[in-house]
Amino acid sequence: MNNAYLGYSAKRVTQALVVILLTYVFTFVVVSILPGDPVTNLLRSPDSGFSEAEIQEIIAAQGLDKPIPEQLWTSLSNFVTGDLGQSMRSSRPVATLIAEVLPSTLILASTALAVALVLAFGIAYGTRFLPRRFGQGLLRGAPSLFLSVPNFVIGLVLIHAFGFHFGLFNVIEPDSVWATLFAAVALGIPVSAQIAEVLIANLDNEARQEYATVARGRGLGQTRLFVSHLLKPAALPVVTVIALTVGELLGGSLITETVFGRTGVGSLVQRSVSTQDLPVLQAVVSLAAVVFVAVNLLADLIYPLLDPRVKLLGEGRPAAATGKSAAGVPA
């Protein structure tokens, strides 16, 4: 591990922290300047039963009577220490509410990522070995088809076919193994399209390189050539793509959970939006930003370790992440 990598890592970590900080500040400012005070809407409604003195006491206890910069500093300090505040509707800690539903969303997102990887590598493998007239052209068009169909449409089709028609899972048991699998398929199909596109393009590029021609000339079989020589260099840019699709997995899981009736972060966000529970919304948005930035940071840090051809640039991602080698020519 040389000084160039240490300097690159320190710069990327600093940039990630700045992005997280700016995201939290932006979210706080947007919530603060939104029209309609949620405290007023909640406490001064005819059904609340609070007196004006009690309302003022609650506002003071929440620190909402202080200047915005002071509120921001207090909120940011609490966020750094893991204190996400309290729900304005249930008066429960926001961290507890998120912890109760987060495992379900993580299981769905991780399973969907596994489904996406299997589909993407299967499609890429098929484009190398299936005869062109027996499906290779169809497989190359599959990623475009996957991207054109929203995941909620795929989910509805899967529920109708495998839930109602074939009876493989019960729609009133959304957390069962089969229901989770089909929800992951609905979420993973659009995500697999981006991975497959990058993998197919890089496989085509690697297959044209001189080392591949030499390997074929020595009588190396297609399967061994694919596994031993083409797959690793072609799959390295997939690390970057996977990191970039984390946001799609997080956003898509919210919709998929609603379609399949799962209790997760999506249902928590839906309830918070309908009840104007802003502390919960701000915490979810901020944590989603932390996860997205952390995964992309991890991809940036491990990429130079996986590919010795990577040239560490002054800014942005390593050169190989964009399909360039250290020499600046196609990898």
Side-chain angles (χ1 to χ4, degrees):
M1 188 175 294
N2 53 33
N3 292 333
Y5 179 78
L6 291 176
Y8 167 78
S9 301
K11 184 175 182 178
R12 294 298 299 138
V13 170
T14 302
Q15 291 174 344
L17 293 176
V18 171
V19 170
I20 293 173
L21 175 63
L22 293 178
T23 301
Y24 189 87
V25 172
F26 176 78
T27 305
F28 182 89
V29 171
V30 169
V31 169
S32 300
I33 66 176
L34 281 177
D37 182 2
V39 176
T40 300
N41 295 337
L42 177 63
L43 300 181
R44 289 197 170 96
S45 65
D47 299 329
S48 66
F50 290 107
S51 65
E52 186 62 29
E54 291 172 331
I55 292 175
Q56 294 301 324
E57 183 179 350
I58 294 174
I59 291 176
Q62 295 288 334
L64 300 176
D65 57 341
K66 298 178 181 178
I68 294 296
E70 187 175 347
Q71 292 184 41
L72 173 60
W73 176 254
T74 302
S75 179
L76 184 58
S77 302
N78 292 337
F79 178 76
V80 171
T81 59
D83 183 4
L84 303 180
Q86 286 189 333
S87 168
M88 298 185 65
R89 287 290 177 178
S90 64
S91 298
R92 298 179 61 196
V94 175
T96 301
L97 295 176
I98 295 177
E100 290 175 350
V101 299
L102 186 60
S104 175
T105 299
L106 291 179
I107 291 173
L108 175 61
S110 58
T111 307
L113 179 59
V115 169
L117 290 175
V118 171
L119 282 175
F121 278 87
I123 291 172
Y125 183 86
T127 60
R128 303 304 309 172
F129 297 103
L130 286 180
R132 186 174 299 276
R133 59 177 179 172
F134 291 121
Q136 188 182 109
L138 180 63
L139 284 179
R140 287 181 177 270
S144 298
L145 175 63
F146 291 169
L147 279 176
S148 65
V149 183
N151 62 346
F152 70 88
V153 174
I154 299 174
L156 292 175
V157 172
L158 293 176
I159 290 174
H160 176 75
F162 296 98
F164 293 110
H165 187 69
F166 294 107
L168 290 182
F169 66 94
N170 194 333
V171 293
I172 64 174
E173 296 179 359
D175 294 323
S176 64
V177 175
W178 280 107
T180 300
L181 177 60
F182 284 111
V185 170
L187 178 58
I189 285 178
V191 174
S192 69
Q194 303 173 49
I195 301 174
E197 286 280 11
V198 173
L199 190 55
I200 291 171
N202 281 277
L203 281 172
D204 291 342
N205 181 59
E206 294 296 330
R208 293 191 294 266
Q209 301 302 312
E210 291 184 4
Y211 74 87
T213 304
V214 172
R216 294 190 195 94
R218 292 178 177 177
L220 200 65
Q222 286 290 335
T223 301
R224 187 176 177 185
L225 174 65
F226 178 84
V227 175
S228 302
H229 297 278
L230 299 181
L231 186 58
K232 182 179 178 180
L236 283 173
V238 174
V239 175
T240 302
V241 177
I242 291 175
L244 294 175
T245 56
V246 168
E248 185 174 346
L249 282 172
L250 293 175
S253 64
L254 305 184
I255 301 174
T256 305
E257 286 173 352
T258 302
V259 172
F260 281 82
R262 296 174 60 88
T263 300
V265 176
S267 59
L268 178 63
V269 170
Q270 186 180 26
R271 291 196 306 269
S272 301
V273 170
S274 61
T275 60
Q276 291 187 321
D277 200 343
L278 297 184
V280 176
L281 291 176
Q282 183 176 348
V284 171
V285 171
S286 300
L287 290 178
V290 170
V291 172
F292 183 79
V293 172
V295 171
N296 280 271
L297 172 63
L298 181 62
D300 284 342
L301 294 182
I302 67 175
Y303 210 109
L305 303 178
L306 294 177
D307 192 349
R309 300 173 301 172
V310 167
K311 175 183 177 182
L312 298 179
L313 303 178
E315 296 180 355
R317 292 186 180 274
T322 59
K324 300 281 187 175
S325 67
V329 297

